[in-house]
Amino acid sequence: MPGFAKPTEKTEDIFWGQRNLELPFKLEENGLIAERRFSYSGTYWEDGSDEDVTGVAALMIFNPTDRMVEFAGIALEHAGGTEFFFVYCLPPNSRCLVLEKHRADYSVEPIQKCRGLITRWGDMTPESMEMAVALTDWGVTVKNRTYHTYDHVAVYYKMYVQQGDFYLGGVCYSAHMYSLEPKGSQWRPVYHVPEGITKVVAVQTVKAENAYSQ
C-alpha cells in the first residue's frame, strides 16, 4: 500500500511515580485508553505534508465510550522530554494510531507520567437521515434526500486500515457543500488519503431558514 508502513513492535511500560504500569493505561481525565507505543516509519499524516519519516513516536488510542471524541490530547512525559498526541473525530468504540505532534523520535526512556489534556466531546454521527453520502478514492458525493435546502453540509473522514481495524493518523479531513438544494447533490474532491483507506466518521448539516419546498 503506497505511503503506509506498519509500526514496529516496540512498546514501553508506563511508570506512575514508583509504580510500573503496563499499557494499556486508562486516562483518568477522559476515560480514553493509551493502548500501545510504537516506533513508526512511513508517511507523516498529522500536518498535511505527507512527508516520509523514520522512527517517529506513535501511540494507539482507544475510545471505549459511546461518545464521539471531537478532539483529545494526550501527553507522555519521560526523561528525554514530553510527547504530544492529538486526535480528532474518534468515533465510539474505535482506535486510532496517532503520530507525535512534533515528530519526536521514539524513545526507550521509561514513561514517568501519562495525562489527558483538553477533551471535546461531540454528538456527530457517521450517518445522516437527511443525506446520502458516497465516499470514493477521488471524492465525496452528498445527495439531499429531503425537500429542504441546506446552507451547509460537512462530511468528515479519516484514513482507516481495515485489516487492523484502526484509524491512521489523528488528523481528520473534511469536505464542505454549500446551498444544497432539495433532492440535489454535490461533489467535492478528497485530499491526502491513499487509495482504498478512507472512511466517513461524521456528517453535520445546517438547514436553511424558511427553506421548504413542496
Side-chain angles (χ1 to χ4, degrees), residues 185-213:
S185 65
Q186 291 185 19
W187 177 89
R188 293 290 185 274
V190 296
Y191 300 100
H192 298 290
V193 290
E195 182 178 348
I197 61 168
T198 54
K199 187 174 182 179
V200 173
V201 294
V203 179
Q204 285 186 316
T205 60
V206 178
K207 188 183 298 183
E209 294 184 7
N210 302 319
Y212 184 84
S213 175

Side-chain angles (χ1 to χ4, degrees), residues 90-182:
L90 183 58
N93 297 300
S94 61
R95 52 182 46 82
C96 184
L97 182 65
V98 183
L99 311 182
E100 204 280 329
K101 177 66 175 178
H102 305 294
R103 307 190 186 193
D105 291 338
Y106 177 86
S107 174
V108 297
E109 292 285 346
I111 298 299
Q112 298 168 338
K113 191 172 183 180
C114 176
R115 56 190 173 91
L117 306 176
I118 296 173
T119 305
R120 284 200 310 268
W121 302 96
D123 56 2
M124 300 181 295
T125 62
E127 297 180 354
S128 169
M129 296 295 293
E130 298 87 3
M131 302 295 156
V133 179
L135 180 64
T136 70
D137 297 334
W138 302 104
V140 58
T141 300
V142 175
K143 168 75 173 178
N144 184 355
R145 293 187 174 117
T146 77
Y147 292 99
H148 296 278
T149 296
Y150 283 80
D151 284 340
H152 182 207
V153 179
V155 178
Y156 298 91
Y157 59 96
K158 295 173 71 72
M159 288 172 288
Y160 179 73
V161 183
Q162 186 172 4
Q163 62 267 35
D165 191 25
F166 64 90
Y167 293 96
L168 176 59
V171 64
C172 184
Y173 305 101
S174 62
H176 299 265
M177 286 70 178
Y178 299 95
S179 300
L180 185 55
E181 296 180 350

Side-chain angles (χ1 to χ4, degrees), residues 8-27:
T8 61
E9 290 301 319
K10 296 179 181 179
T11 60
E12 283 295 321
D13 294 339
I14 281 187
F15 291 81
W16 191 279
Q18 300 299 315
R19 194 156 69 100
N20 182 3
L21 298 179
E22 294 185 355
L23 296 179
F25 181 82
K26 185 173 184 179
L27 296 165

Side-chain angles (χ1 to χ4, degrees), residues 6-59:
K6 291 183 179 180
T8 61
E9 290 301 319
K10 296 179 181 179
T11 60
E12 283 295 321
D13 294 339
I14 281 187
F15 291 81
W16 191 279
Q18 300 299 315
R19 194 156 69 100
N20 182 3
L21 298 179
E22 294 185 355
L23 296 179
F25 181 82
K26 185 173 184 179
L27 296 165
E28 295 181 1
E29 295 87 351
N30 53 28
L32 301 182
I33 298 175
E35 288 193 325
R36 300 186 69 182
R37 294 181 73 225
F38 299 95
S39 173
Y40 172 89
S41 296
T43 302
Y44 187 81
W45 305 107
E46 307 296 357
D47 59 5
S49 66
D50 297 350
E51 297 175 346
D52 290 336
V53 294
T54 302
V56 167
L59 180 68

